[in-house]
Amino acid sequence: MFQTRKTGMVARIPPHVFFLVSAVFHYLGPACAVLLFSSISVLGVAWFRIASAALIFALWRHPWRTLLNMPWAKRRILLALGIVLALMNVCFYLAIAHLPLGTVGAIEFLGPITLAALGARTPRNIVALVLAAAGGWLLTDVRFAGQPLDFVFAFANCAFFMLYVILGHRIAQDGEFNGIDRLGASMLIALITITPLGFTGALPAMTQPLLILAGIGVGICSSVIPYVGDQLAMARLPRATFALFLSLLPASAALIGVLVLHQIPSTLEIIGILLVAGGIALHKEVETAPDNHKKNL
């Protein structure tokens, strides 16, 4: 009864609201992560992000029950998503450690734009896609300067981000809260995947409470709130529409810059925000939204 009541409350909230919450917190997490780079290694920060998120999901959703009650054929999707989450975070932090965040964001932005292009089947949606892509490009303030390996990590992050959107939609098709349970299970798998890579780098922070709190903050802002918001939005939005909405991420970064860092956007950034808003306003859904009653994961 309580679960049904919660589902009804969620259904009354437009999916775009959940996406907007996800978009805002998407860039608050990296702000916390930057503070940790001077104290622990990049891979240690990535481990903290995954570990703290996995712990929160474990206490909240008890995701091991999902894994135990699911046939192996369906567990494979959760296994794949967990590995993708771990490697995506590793590549993202290795990239932003040496490249400007705007450059990494621009490269990452290529992924959802590609997914949106695959679903743009009308001239109206193609124009919407072009507007959103142009706006995102202006907002990311791209500067190509860095070592080739740094760009390898940035493009690998882009590829893993595309896989995250695809697999995330797969686990969201059976309803919002089922998707969150499966996300929690995937986060446990991500923790197992990333521990050999990042646990040693996180050890210097284990005796410093402030660094531990900062690491937990990274996990909450970067993985718990955005990924839960994504699941609640993915369950009710077509994949191409969700992918196009990801163009809001650079705009949300600019907004956070104004409110938190008092960074006033330039004329080009304002134009970029307007282009993104115009693209999203022009876009019209042409796919059938995911059927929450499907039982095929």
Side-chain angles (χ1 to χ4, degrees):
M1 176 70 71
F2 182 62
Q3 181 76 8
T4 303
R5 189 180 300 117
K6 288 196 299 182
T7 303
M9 291 175 59
V10 169
R12 287 194 291 270
I13 301 175
H16 315 79
V17 173
F18 296 116
F19 180 83
L20 288 174
V21 171
S22 173
V24 169
F25 278 90
H26 185 86
Y27 281 105
L28 287 178
C32 296
V34 170
L35 299 177
L36 288 172
F37 282 162
S38 60
S39 302
I40 59 178
S41 71
V42 174
L43 292 179
V45 175
W47 183 88
F48 258 115
R49 172 176 174 173
I50 294 293
S52 57
L55 176 61
I56 291 171
F57 278 113
L59 296 174
W60 175 32
R61 305 302 299 180
H62 309 295
W64 51 83
R65 296 183 300 194
T66 299
L67 284 172
L68 293 175
N69 297 327
M70 184 176 290
W72 170 246
K74 294 183 178 180
R75 289 180 194 168
R76 287 183 299 182
I77 296 178
L78 303 188
L79 178 63
L81 179 58
I83 294 172
V84 164
L85 287 172
L87 296 180
M88 179 177 71
N89 282 282
V90 166
C91 291
F92 176 76
Y93 284 124
L94 286 173
I96 67 172
H98 301 286
L99 293 175
L101 183 59
T103 301
V104 178
I107 294 172
E108 183 179 68
F109 187 65
L110 296 175
I113 283 296
T114 300
L115 292 176
L118 295 175
R121 302 170 185 171
T122 66
R124 171 175 171 168
N125 283 358
I126 292 174
V127 173
L129 177 63
V130 171
L131 288 176
W137 189 262
L138 288 176
L139 282 167
T140 47
D141 186 27
V142 183
R143 295 185 298 273
F144 289 106
Q147 299 298 316
L149 184 60
D150 300 331
F151 287 99
V152 170
F153 288 129
F155 279 101
N157 172 64
C158 171
F160 285 125
F161 190 61
M162 288 179 65
L163 289 174
Y164 161 71
V165 174
I166 294 170
L167 294 172
H169 256 89
R170 291 288 299 276
I171 69 171
Q173 288 179 0
D174 206 17
E176 295 94 340
F177 288 99
N178 287 327
I180 293 174
D181 289 338
R182 291 164 181 169
L183 173 64
S186 295
M187 198 62 70
L188 291 178
I189 296 169
L191 176 58
I192 295 172
T193 303
I194 200 173
T195 293
L197 300 173
F199 180 71
T200 302
L203 284 177
M206 295 302 183
T207 58
Q208 302 185 53
L210 289 179
L211 291 181
I212 292 176
L213 289 175
I216 293 173
V218 170
I220 293 173
C221 292
S222 295
S223 293
V224 177
I225 296 177
Y227 292 167
V228 168
D230 286 349
Q231 279 300 302
L232 295 174
M234 285 176 175
R236 293 156 59 192
L237 289 175
R239 192 177 72 190
T241 299
F242 180 85
L244 181 69
F245 270 39
L246 288 172
S247 60
L248 275 176
L249 293 181
S252 71
L255 180 61
I256 290 172
V258 173
L259 297 179
V260 179
L261 303 176
H262 306 292
Q263 296 175 343
I264 306 302
S266 66
T267 301
L268 285 179
E269 288 172 330
I270 293 175
I271 294 173
I273 293 173
L274 293 176
L275 286 173
V276 169
I280 292 175
L282 185 63
H283 177 74
K284 181 179 180 181
E285 293 183 8
V286 293
E287 300 179 35
T288 301
D291 185 356
N292 291 348
H293 299 288
K294 290 181 181 179
K295 300 300 179 182
N296 60 350
L297 198 65

